[in-house]
Amino acid sequence: MRVLAADIGGTNSRFALYETGGLARGHVPRPQDRLCAVRLPTAGTASFADLLRRAAAEEPGLFTSPALLVLAVAGPVRGGRRCTPPNIPWAVDLDDPALHAPGMPPLPPVLLINDFVAQAYACLRPAAPDAPDAPDVLDMLDVLDGHPVPDAPIAVVGAGTGLGKCLLLPASGDGMPPRVLPSEGGHALFPFTDEREMAFAAFVRAHTGRQVIGDLVVSGPGLRLLHAFHTGQWLEPAEVAARLATGAPGADADHALPHVLSRILSWFARFYGRVCRDYVLETLALGGLFISGGVAAATPALVTHPAFAEAFRQSDTHADLLRAVPVRLVRSPDAGLLGAALYGALHRPTH
C-alpha cells in the first residue's frame, strides 16, 4: 500500500510518499520505500489548503497514487477531523470545503494524528545496518545506559518549534498495533528551581507576555530566549544552535566554548533533562525514553552534556529508578514522516 505521510510542524512541513508493505510486516525500512518527498516552510502558507496546493505543485507525484494520507500535526486532534496547532496560524479541518475546491490535489482517505504519535511509531523501527545514512532509516544515539523494564511504557519527548510529549504503550499481543497516548504536556508550566532561573522566567514573561510553559523553554524559541537572556543578543534558534555546536560535541563542551556559550549550553541541557525526568516519573515510563525533535537532532550536545544526565537522574526519592531508564536520541530529521507512514500501514481504514 502506498501512504502519503505529512509531518506538519510549526517551522517546516514535510511530505513523502511511501510503499508501506514491508513496514506493515515489521521489516526494517529501506531507502527505496520512500518514492518522492517535498519540504516546505509552514510559515509561508496562508492555510492548510494552501500548503497542500503548494506541496502538489512542488512534487505532483505525491498525490497521484496514495491509498491513504496520514497527517501528523503539532497540536491536539479533535474527533479525528480537526486540529488547531498552537504554533501555526491556521487550523487543519478535514471538513473544510476549500480542500475540494478547483485546483486542489485529489485527496485519498485521511487519518489525522498528533505529530508525536508519529514520532513514537518511528521509534518502533530499528536502523538498517546496510544503510545507516538513508533519510528514512532512524539514526539513533545512545545518551544514557539503563535497564528497561519489559512491557513497560516508553516516553517520547522532543523539542522543536514547541515541546512534544507522548507515551508509547507496548503491544498487547492480540495482534493490535501499539497504542500511543498523545499529550499537550509542553503547555504545562515549566518548573524553575532557584533565583537565577526565576530571573530567566521573568525575562521570558516580559518578552512574550505569556505564562512560562515548557513550549517557551525547551524548544527552538526557548533556545533563542536563553541566548538573549545571557548575552543580550537576539539570534534565530538555528544561529544559536550553530554557535553551541562549534567545538561542542558533548561532555567536553565546557572546555571548548567561550564561557557564556558554555553557560547557555549547560542551562538548556539542565532544562531538557528536567523535562524528561518529570515526564518519566509522571508516567512511570520504565521502558525507556526517546528524545526526538529538531533541536537536539541538530545539536546533540544539548542532551549529551553532563548537565542533562545530572538533571534527569536528580530525585530525592527515585534516583535509582531513573538510573535504570535508558535514554536514546533520535537524530533522523524525517522520523515523523516514517512514523506517519508506519501508522498508516497499521491503521488502514477498512471502509
Side-chain angles (χ1 to χ4, degrees), residues 1-34:
M1 181 178 72
R2 290 187 173 181
V3 172
L4 175 54
D7 185 11
I8 313 299
T11 301
N12 294 303
S13 292
R14 300 173 173 89
F15 296 81
L17 183 64
Y18 288 86
E19 183 59 59
T20 63
L23 293 178
R25 292 189 296 271
H27 294 176
V28 170
R30 305 164 301 166
Q32 59 265 37
D33 291 334
R34 186 159 86 167

PDB file of all heavy atoms in Angstrom, residues 1-34:
ATOM      1  N   MET A   1       0.843  -1.197   0.000  1.00  0.00           N
ATOM      2  CA  MET A   1       0.000   0.000   0.000  1.00  0.00           C
ATOM      3  C   MET A   1       0.875   1.242   0.000  1.00  0.00           C
ATOM      4  O   MET A   1       1.906   1.298   0.684  1.00  0.00           O
ATOM      5  CB  MET A   1      -0.900   0.012   1.243  1.00  0.00           C
ATOM      6  CG  MET A   1      -1.818   1.222   1.306  1.00  0.00           C
ATOM      7  SD  MET A   1      -2.919   1.228   2.737  1.00  0.00           S
ATOM      8  CE  MET A   1      -1.778   1.578   4.068  1.00  0.00           C
ATOM      9  N   ARG A   2       0.452   2.224  -0.747  1.00  0.00           N
ATOM     10  CA  ARG A   2       1.162   3.499  -0.762  1.00  0.00           C
ATOM     11  C   ARG A   2       0.479   4.486   0.186  1.00  0.00           C
ATOM     12  O   ARG A   2      -0.736   4.700   0.100  1.00  0.00           O
ATOM     13  CB  ARG A   2       1.230   4.071  -2.175  1.00  0.00           C
ATOM     14  CG  ARG A   2       2.162   3.278  -3.083  1.00  0.00           C
ATOM     15  CD  ARG A   2       2.356   3.927  -4.418  1.00  0.00           C
ATOM     16  NE  ARG A   2       3.373   3.219  -5.184  1.00  0.00           N
ATOM     17  CZ  ARG A   2       3.778   3.560  -6.396  1.00  0.00           C
ATOM     18  NH1 ARG A   2       3.230   4.618  -7.003  1.00  0.00           N
ATOM     19  NH2 ARG A   2       4.709   2.865  -7.004  1.00  0.00           N
ATOM     20  N   VAL A   3       1.282   5.068   1.056  1.00  0.00           N
ATOM     21  CA  VAL A   3       0.784   6.028   2.045  1.00  0.00           C
ATOM     22  C   VAL A   3       1.499   7.357   1.826  1.00  0.00           C
ATOM     23  O   VAL A   3       2.735   7.406   1.751  1.00  0.00           O
ATOM     24  CB  VAL A   3       1.036   5.531   3.478  1.00  0.00           C
ATOM     25  CG1 VAL A   3       0.691   6.623   4.494  1.00  0.00           C
ATOM     26  CG2 VAL A   3       0.213   4.284   3.765  1.00  0.00           C
ATOM     27  N   LEU A   4       0.732   8.416   1.714  1.00  0.00           N
ATOM     28  CA  LEU A   4       1.288   9.760   1.704  1.00  0.00           C
ATOM     29  C   LEU A   4       1.363  10.239   3.143  1.00  0.00           C
ATOM     30  O   LEU A   4       0.333  10.402   3.804  1.00  0.00           O
ATOM     31  CB  LEU A   4       0.417  10.703   0.861  1.00  0.00           C
ATOM     32  CG  LEU A   4       0.826  12.178   0.862  1.00  0.00           C
ATOM     33  CD1 LEU A   4       2.275  12.370   0.462  1.00  0.00           C
ATOM     34  CD2 LEU A   4      -0.099  12.983  -0.044  1.00  0.00           C
ATOM     35  N   ALA A   5       2.561  10.423   3.649  1.00  0.00           N
ATOM     36  CA  ALA A   5       2.777  10.869   5.023  1.00  0.00           C
ATOM     37  C   ALA A   5       3.082  12.359   5.022  1.00  0.00           C
ATOM     38  O   ALA A   5       3.815  12.852   4.154  1.00  0.00           O
ATOM     39  CB  ALA A   5       3.934  10.094   5.654  1.00  0.00           C
ATOM     40  N   ALA A   6       2.523  13.067   5.990  1.00  0.00           N
ATOM     41  CA  ALA A   6       2.769  14.501   6.131  1.00  0.00           C
ATOM     42  C   ALA A   6       3.061  14.812   7.591  1.00  0.00           C
ATOM     43  O   ALA A   6       2.320  14.377   8.475  1.00  0.00           O
ATOM     44  CB  ALA A   6       1.572  15.308   5.644  1.00  0.00           C
ATOM     45  N   ASP A   7       4.136  15.529   7.833  1.00  0.00           N
ATOM     46  CA  ASP A   7       4.530  15.958   9.180  1.00  0.00           C
ATOM     47  C   ASP A   7       4.457  17.474   9.197  1.00  0.00           C
ATOM     48  O   ASP A   7       5.342  18.149   8.669  1.00  0.00           O
ATOM     49  CB  ASP A   7       5.940  15.452   9.490  1.00  0.00           C
ATOM     50  CG  ASP A   7       6.378  15.764  10.915  1.00  0.00           C
ATOM     51  OD1 ASP A   7       5.526  16.189  11.721  1.00  0.00           O
ATOM     52  OD2 ASP A   7       7.575  15.592  11.226  1.00  0.00           O
ATOM     53  N   ILE A   8       3.382  18.009   9.790  1.00  0.00           N
ATOM     54  CA  ILE A   8       3.107  19.444   9.748  1.00  0.00           C
ATOM     55  C   ILE A   8       3.579  20.071  11.055  1.00  0.00           C
ATOM     56  O   ILE A   8       2.933  19.924  12.102  1.00  0.00           O
ATOM     57  CB  ILE A   8       1.596  19.723   9.548  1.00  0.00           C
ATOM     58  CG1 ILE A   8       1.029  18.856   8.416  1.00  0.00           C
ATOM     59  CG2 ILE A   8       1.363  21.208   9.300  1.00  0.00           C
ATOM     60  CD1 ILE A   8       1.662  19.084   7.080  1.00  0.00           C
ATOM     61  N   GLY A   9       4.709  20.756  11.014  1.00  0.00           N
ATOM     62  CA  GLY A   9       5.275  21.373  12.200  1.00  0.00           C
ATOM     63  C   GLY A   9       5.152  22.878  12.173  1.00  0.00           C
ATOM     64  O   GLY A   9       4.767  23.483  11.167  1.00  0.00           O
ATOM     65  N   GLY A  10       5.529  23.509  13.286  1.00  0.00           N
ATOM     66  CA  GLY A  10       5.421  24.954  13.380  1.00  0.00           C
ATOM     67  C   GLY A  10       6.385  25.696  12.486  1.00  0.00           C
ATOM     68  O   GLY A  10       6.125  26.835  12.093  1.00  0.00           O
ATOM     69  N   THR A  11       7.505  25.073  12.130  1.00  0.00           N
ATOM     70  CA  THR A  11       8.502  25.715  11.272  1.00  0.00           C
ATOM     71  C   THR A  11       8.470  25.154   9.861  1.00  0.00           C
ATOM     72  O   THR A  11       8.407  25.905   8.883  1.00  0.00           O
ATOM     73  CB  THR A  11       9.915  25.540  11.862  1.00  0.00           C
ATOM     74  OG1 THR A  11       9.947  26.118  13.170  1.00  0.00           O
ATOM     75  CG2 THR A  11      10.957  26.218  10.983  1.00  0.00           C
ATOM     76  N   ASN A  12       8.536  23.831   9.733  1.00  0.00           N
ATOM     77  CA  ASN A  12       8.558  23.192   8.421  1.00  0.00           C
ATOM     78  C   ASN A  12       7.469  22.142   8.314  1.00  0.00           C
ATOM     79  O   ASN A  12       7.047  21.548   9.312  1.00  0.00           O
ATOM     80  CB  ASN A  12       9.920  22.525   8.172  1.00  0.00           C
ATOM     81  CG  ASN A  12      11.044  23.545   8.059  1.00  0.00           C
ATOM     82  OD1 ASN A  12      10.994  24.440   7.211  1.00  0.00           O
ATOM     83  ND2 ASN A  12      12.053  23.412   8.898  1.00  0.00           N
ATOM     84  N   SER A  13       7.034  21.894   7.089  1.00  0.00           N
ATOM     85  CA  SER A  13       6.107  20.807   6.779  1.00  0.00           C
ATOM     86  C   SER A  13       6.779  19.902   5.762  1.00  0.00           C
ATOM     87  O   SER A  13       7.334  20.361   4.766  1.00  0.00           O
ATOM     88  CB  SER A  13       4.796  21.355   6.214  1.00  0.00           C
ATOM     89  OG  SER A  13       4.076  22.071   7.200  1.00  0.00           O
ATOM     90  N   ARG A  14       6.723  18.600   6.042  1.00  0.00           N
ATOM     91  CA  ARG A  14       7.346  17.611   5.176  1.00  0.00           C
ATOM     92  C   ARG A  14       6.288  16.644   4.650  1.00  0.00           C
ATOM     93  O   ARG A  14       5.387  16.248   5.384  1.00  0.00           O
ATOM     94  CB  ARG A  14       8.437  16.845   5.935  1.00  0.00           C
ATOM     95  CG  ARG A  14       9.560  17.708   6.467  1.00  0.00           C
ATOM     96  CD  ARG A  14      10.496  16.880   7.345  1.00  0.00           C
ATOM     97  NE  ARG A  14      11.689  17.610   7.750  1.00  0.00           N
ATOM     98  CZ  ARG A  14      11.768  18.362   8.836  1.00  0.00           C
ATOM     99  NH1 ARG A  14      10.723  18.473   9.627  1.00  0.00           N
ATOM    100  NH2 ARG A  14      12.883  18.999   9.135  1.00  0.00           N
ATOM    101  N   PHE A  15       6.441  16.250   3.403  1.00  0.00           N
ATOM    102  CA  PHE A  15       5.567  15.276   2.769  1.00  0.00           C
ATOM    103  C   PHE A  15       6.425  14.206   2.108  1.00  0.00           C
ATOM    104  O   PHE A  15       7.469  14.514   1.540  1.00  0.00           O
ATOM    105  CB  PHE A  15       4.691  15.936   1.691  1.00  0.00           C
ATOM    106  CG  PHE A  15       3.730  16.968   2.189  1.00  0.00           C
ATOM    107  CD1 PHE A  15       4.146  18.268   2.442  1.00  0.00           C
ATOM    108  CD2 PHE A  15       2.388  16.654   2.383  1.00  0.00           C
ATOM    109  CE1 PHE A  15       3.257  19.228   2.883  1.00  0.00           C
ATOM    110  CE2 PHE A  15       1.488  17.616   2.828  1.00  0.00           C
ATOM    111  CZ  PHE A  15       1.918  18.902   3.080  1.00  0.00           C
ATOM    112  N   ALA A  16       5.978  12.965   2.156  1.00  0.00           N
ATOM    113  CA  ALA A  16       6.678  11.894   1.450  1.00  0.00           C
ATOM    114  C   ALA A  16       5.702  10.778   1.133  1.00  0.00           C
ATOM    115  O   ALA A  16       4.800  10.473   1.930  1.00  0.00           O
ATOM    116  CB  ALA A  16       7.846  11.357   2.274  1.00  0.00           C
ATOM    117  N   LEU A  17       5.870  10.176  -0.027  1.00  0.00           N
ATOM    118  CA  LEU A  17       5.051   9.045  -0.459  1.00  0.00           C
ATOM    119  C   LEU A  17       5.842   7.761  -0.225  1.00  0.00           C
ATOM    120  O   LEU A  17       6.991   7.641  -0.673  1.00  0.00           O
ATOM    121  CB  LEU A  17       4.700   9.185  -1.940  1.00  0.00           C
ATOM    122  CG  LEU A  17       3.789   8.104  -2.532  1.00  0.00           C
ATOM    123  CD1 LEU A  17       2.417   8.132  -1.880  1.00  0.00           C
ATOM    124  CD2 LEU A  17       3.678   8.289  -4.051  1.00  0.00           C
ATOM    125  N   TYR A  18       5.238   6.819   0.502  1.00  0.00           N
ATOM    126  CA  TYR A  18       5.910   5.578   0.888  1.00  0.00           C
ATOM    127  C   TYR A  18       5.189   4.360   0.329  1.00  0.00           C
ATOM    128  O   TYR A  18       3.953   4.345   0.235  1.00  0.00           O
ATOM    129  CB  TYR A  18       5.935   5.426   2.410  1.00  0.00           C
ATOM    130  CG  TYR A  18       6.874   6.336   3.138  1.00  0.00           C
ATOM    131  CD1 TYR A  18       6.474   7.622   3.502  1.00  0.00           C
ATOM    132  CD2 TYR A  18       8.159   5.921   3.484  1.00  0.00           C
ATOM    133  CE1 TYR A  18       7.341   8.459   4.188  1.00  0.00           C
ATOM    134  CE2 TYR A  18       9.022   6.755   4.179  1.00  0.00           C
ATOM    135  CZ  TYR A  18       8.601   8.014   4.523  1.00  0.00           C
ATOM    136  OH  TYR A  18       9.449   8.848   5.201  1.00  0.00           O
ATOM    137  N   GLU A  19       5.969   3.333   0.021  1.00  0.00           N
ATOM    138  CA  GLU A  19       5.448   1.998  -0.188  1.00  0.00           C
ATOM    139  C   GLU A  19       5.591   1.282   1.146  1.00  0.00           C
ATOM    140  O   GLU A  19       6.703   1.071   1.637  1.00  0.00           O
ATOM    141  CB  GLU A  19       6.241   1.278  -1.271  1.00  0.00           C
ATOM    142  CG  GLU A  19       5.701  -0.098  -1.599  1.00  0.00           C
ATOM    143  CD  GLU A  19       4.254  -0.056  -2.076  1.00  0.00           C
ATOM    144  OE1 GLU A  19       3.984   0.612  -3.097  1.00  0.00           O
ATOM    145  OE2 GLU A  19       3.401  -0.672  -1.393  1.00  0.00           O
ATOM    146  N   THR A  20       4.456   0.922   1.783  1.00  0.00           N
ATOM    147  CA  THR A  20       4.493   0.527   3.194  1.00  0.00           C
ATOM    148  C   THR A  20       4.309  -0.965   3.441  1.00  0.00           C
ATOM    149  O   THR A  20       4.187  -1.384   4.590  1.00  0.00           O
ATOM    150  CB  THR A  20       3.399   1.281   3.981  1.00  0.00           C
ATOM    151  OG1 THR A  20       2.117   0.908   3.468  1.00  0.00           O
ATOM    152  CG2 THR A  20       3.595   2.778   3.885  1.00  0.00           C
ATOM    153  N   GLY A  21       4.270  -1.782   2.386  1.00  0.00           N
ATOM    154  CA  GLY A  21       4.038  -3.208   2.602  1.00  0.00           C
ATOM    155  C   GLY A  21       5.052  -3.833   3.544  1.00  0.00           C
ATOM    156  O   GLY A  21       4.703  -4.580   4.462  1.00  0.00           O
ATOM    157  N   GLY A  22       6.328  -3.513   3.350  1.00  0.00           N
ATOM    158  CA  GLY A  22       7.360  -4.056   4.223  1.00  0.00           C
ATOM    159  C   GLY A  22       7.261  -3.537   5.635  1.00  0.00           C
ATOM    160  O   GLY A  22       7.468  -4.282   6.598  1.00  0.00           O
ATOM    161  N   LEU A  23       6.922  -2.270   5.779  1.00  0.00           N
ATOM    162  CA  LEU A  23       6.794  -1.687   7.119  1.00  0.00           C
ATOM    163  C   LEU A  23       5.699  -2.389   7.907  1.00  0.00           C
ATOM    164  O   LEU A  23       5.854  -2.703   9.087  1.00  0.00           O
ATOM    165  CB  LEU A  23       6.483  -0.195   7.015  1.00  0.00           C
ATOM    166  CG  LEU A  23       7.567   0.719   6.445  1.00  0.00           C
ATOM    167  CD1 LEU A  23       7.045   2.144   6.392  1.00  0.00           C
ATOM    168  CD2 LEU A  23       8.828   0.652   7.274  1.00  0.00           C
ATOM    169  N   ALA A  24       4.559  -2.642   7.247  1.00  0.00           N
ATOM    170  CA  ALA A  24       3.443  -3.276   7.937  1.00  0.00           C
ATOM    171  C   ALA A  24       3.782  -4.692   8.396  1.00  0.00           C
ATOM    172  O   ALA A  24       3.239  -5.178   9.377  1.00  0.00           O
ATOM    173  CB  ALA A  24       2.217  -3.307   7.017  1.00  0.00           C
ATOM    174  N   ARG A  25       4.716  -5.338   7.686  1.00  0.00           N
ATOM    175  CA  ARG A  25       5.110  -6.692   8.065  1.00  0.00           C
ATOM    176  C   ARG A  25       6.265  -6.708   9.067  1.00  0.00           C
ATOM    177  O   ARG A  25       6.796  -7.766   9.386  1.00  0.00           O
ATOM    178  CB  ARG A  25       5.492  -7.491   6.818  1.00  0.00           C
ATOM    179  CG  ARG A  25       4.310  -7.775   5.893  1.00  0.00           C
ATOM    180  CD  ARG A  25       4.683  -8.756   4.794  1.00  0.00           C
ATOM    181  NE  ARG A  25       5.707  -8.219   3.906  1.00  0.00           N
ATOM    182  CZ  ARG A  25       5.448  -7.497   2.822  1.00  0.00           C
ATOM    183  NH1 ARG A  25       4.191  -7.205   2.506  1.00  0.00           N
ATOM    184  NH2 ARG A  25       6.421  -7.054   2.057  1.00  0.00           N
ATOM    185  N   GLY A  26       6.661  -5.537   9.525  1.00  0.00           N
ATOM    186  CA  GLY A  26       7.703  -5.472  10.541  1.00  0.00           C
ATOM    187  C   GLY A  26       9.103  -5.390  10.002  1.00  0.00           C
ATOM    188  O   GLY A  26      10.072  -5.519  10.753  1.00  0.00           O
ATOM    189  N   HIS A  27       9.261  -5.173   8.692  1.00  0.00           N
ATOM    190  CA  HIS A  27      10.588  -5.109   8.110  1.00  0.00           C
ATOM    191  C   HIS A  27      11.290  -3.801   8.474  1.00  0.00           C
ATOM    192  O   HIS A  27      10.647  -2.781   8.748  1.00  0.00           O
ATOM    193  CB  HIS A  27      10.508  -5.211   6.585  1.00  0.00           C
ATOM    194  CG  HIS A  27      10.010  -6.549   6.112  1.00  0.00           C
ATOM    195  ND1 HIS A  27       9.774  -6.830   4.792  1.00  0.00           N
ATOM    196  CD2 HIS A  27       9.692  -7.690   6.796  1.00  0.00           C
ATOM    197  CE1 HIS A  27       9.334  -8.084   4.676  1.00  0.00           C
ATOM    198  NE2 HIS A  27       9.273  -8.611   5.879  1.00  0.00           N
ATOM    199  N   VAL A  28      12.602  -3.818   8.435  1.00  0.00           N
ATOM    200  CA  VAL A  28      13.383  -2.598   8.604  1.00  0.00           C
ATOM    201  C   VAL A  28      13.144  -1.693   7.398  1.00  0.00           C
ATOM    202  O   VAL A  28      13.126  -2.158   6.259  1.00  0.00           O
ATOM    203  CB  VAL A  28      14.885  -2.941   8.717  1.00  0.00           C
ATOM    204  CG1 VAL A  28      15.733  -1.682   8.654  1.00  0.00           C
ATOM    205  CG2 VAL A  28      15.151  -3.705  10.011  1.00  0.00           C
ATOM    206  N   PRO A  29      12.910  -0.395   7.595  1.00  0.00           N
ATOM    207  CA  PRO A  29      12.686   0.495   6.451  1.00  0.00           C
ATOM    208  C   PRO A  29      13.901   0.556   5.543  1.00  0.00           C
ATOM    209  O   PRO A  29      15.036   0.515   5.992  1.00  0.00           O
ATOM    210  CB  PRO A  29      12.401   1.852   7.108  1.00  0.00           C
ATOM    211  CG  PRO A  29      12.970   1.749   8.478  1.00  0.00           C
ATOM    212  CD  PRO A  29      12.866   0.318   8.879  1.00  0.00           C
ATOM    213  N   ARG A  30      13.625   0.648   4.241  1.00  0.00           N
ATOM    214  CA  ARG A  30      14.693   0.728   3.256  1.00  0.00           C
ATOM    215  C   ARG A  30      14.618   2.070   2.544  1.00  0.00           C
ATOM    216  O   ARG A  30      13.540   2.666   2.440  1.00  0.00           O
ATOM    217  CB  ARG A  30      14.555  -0.391   2.230  1.00  0.00           C
ATOM    218  CG  ARG A  30      14.484  -1.799   2.817  1.00  0.00           C
ATOM    219  CD  ARG A  30      13.964  -2.762   1.757  1.00  0.00           C
ATOM    220  NE  ARG A  30      12.640  -2.348   1.298  1.00  0.00           N
ATOM    221  CZ  ARG A  30      12.050  -2.824   0.192  1.00  0.00           C
ATOM    222  NH1 ARG A  30      12.671  -3.714  -0.552  1.00  0.00           N
ATOM    223  NH2 ARG A  30      10.854  -2.396  -0.152  1.00  0.00           N
ATOM    224  N   PRO A  31      15.743   2.570   2.007  1.00  0.00           N
ATOM    225  CA  PRO A  31      15.707   3.848   1.294  1.00  0.00           C
ATOM    226  C   PRO A  31      14.700   3.850   0.149  1.00  0.00           C
ATOM    227  O   PRO A  31      14.047   4.858  -0.100  1.00  0.00           O
ATOM    228  CB  PRO A  31      17.144   4.001   0.789  1.00  0.00           C
ATOM    229  CG  PRO A  31      17.973   3.185   1.721  1.00  0.00           C
ATOM    230  CD  PRO A  31      17.105   2.026   2.127  1.00  0.00           C
ATOM    231  N   GLN A  32      14.558   2.720  -0.559  1.00  0.00           N
ATOM    232  CA  GLN A  32      13.660   2.687  -1.712  1.00  0.00           C
ATOM    233  C   GLN A  32      12.185   2.673  -1.330  1.00  0.00           C
ATOM    234  O   GLN A  32      11.318   2.769  -2.198  1.00  0.00           O
ATOM    235  CB  GLN A  32      13.986   1.495  -2.613  1.00  0.00           C
ATOM    236  CG  GLN A  32      13.895   0.135  -1.937  1.00  0.00           C
ATOM    237  CD  GLN A  32      15.231  -0.343  -1.420  1.00  0.00           C
ATOM    238  OE1 GLN A  32      16.014   0.469  -0.935  1.00  0.00           O
ATOM    239  NE2 GLN A  32      15.494  -1.630  -1.530  1.00  0.00           N
ATOM    240  N   ASP A  33      11.878   2.546  -0.035  1.00  0.00           N
ATOM    241  CA  ASP A  33      10.472   2.597   0.384  1.00  0.00           C
ATOM    242  C   ASP A  33       9.885   3.996   0.187  1.00  0.00           C
ATOM    243  O   ASP A  33       8.675   4.143   0.074  1.00  0.00           O
ATOM    244  CB  ASP A  33      10.326   2.188   1.848  1.00  0.00           C
ATOM    245  CG  ASP A  33      10.612   0.707   2.081  1.00  0.00           C
ATOM    246  OD1 ASP A  33      10.441  -0.076   1.132  1.00  0.00           O
ATOM    247  OD2 ASP A  33      11.015   0.350   3.194  1.00  0.00           O
ATOM    248  N   ARG A  34      10.740   5.005   0.214  1.00  0.00           N
ATOM    249  CA  ARG A  34      10.249   6.371   0.002  1.00  0.00           C
ATOM    250  C   ARG A  34      10.343   6.706  -1.478  1.00  0.00           C
ATOM    251  O   ARG A  34      11.421   6.706  -2.058  1.00  0.00           O
ATOM    252  CB  ARG A  34      11.042   7.374   0.835  1.00  0.00           C
ATOM    253  CG  ARG A  34      10.456   8.780   0.746  1.00  0.00           C
ATOM    254  CD  ARG A  34      10.867   9.657   1.884  1.00  0.00           C
ATOM    255  NE  ARG A  34      12.134  10.320   1.655  1.00  0.00           N
ATOM    256  CZ  ARG A  34      12.589  11.321   2.394  1.00  0.00           C
ATOM    257  NH1 ARG A  34      11.886  11.755   3.421  1.00  0.00           N
ATOM    258  NH2 ARG A  34      13.762  11.862   2.156  1.00  0.00           N
TER     259      ARG A  34
END
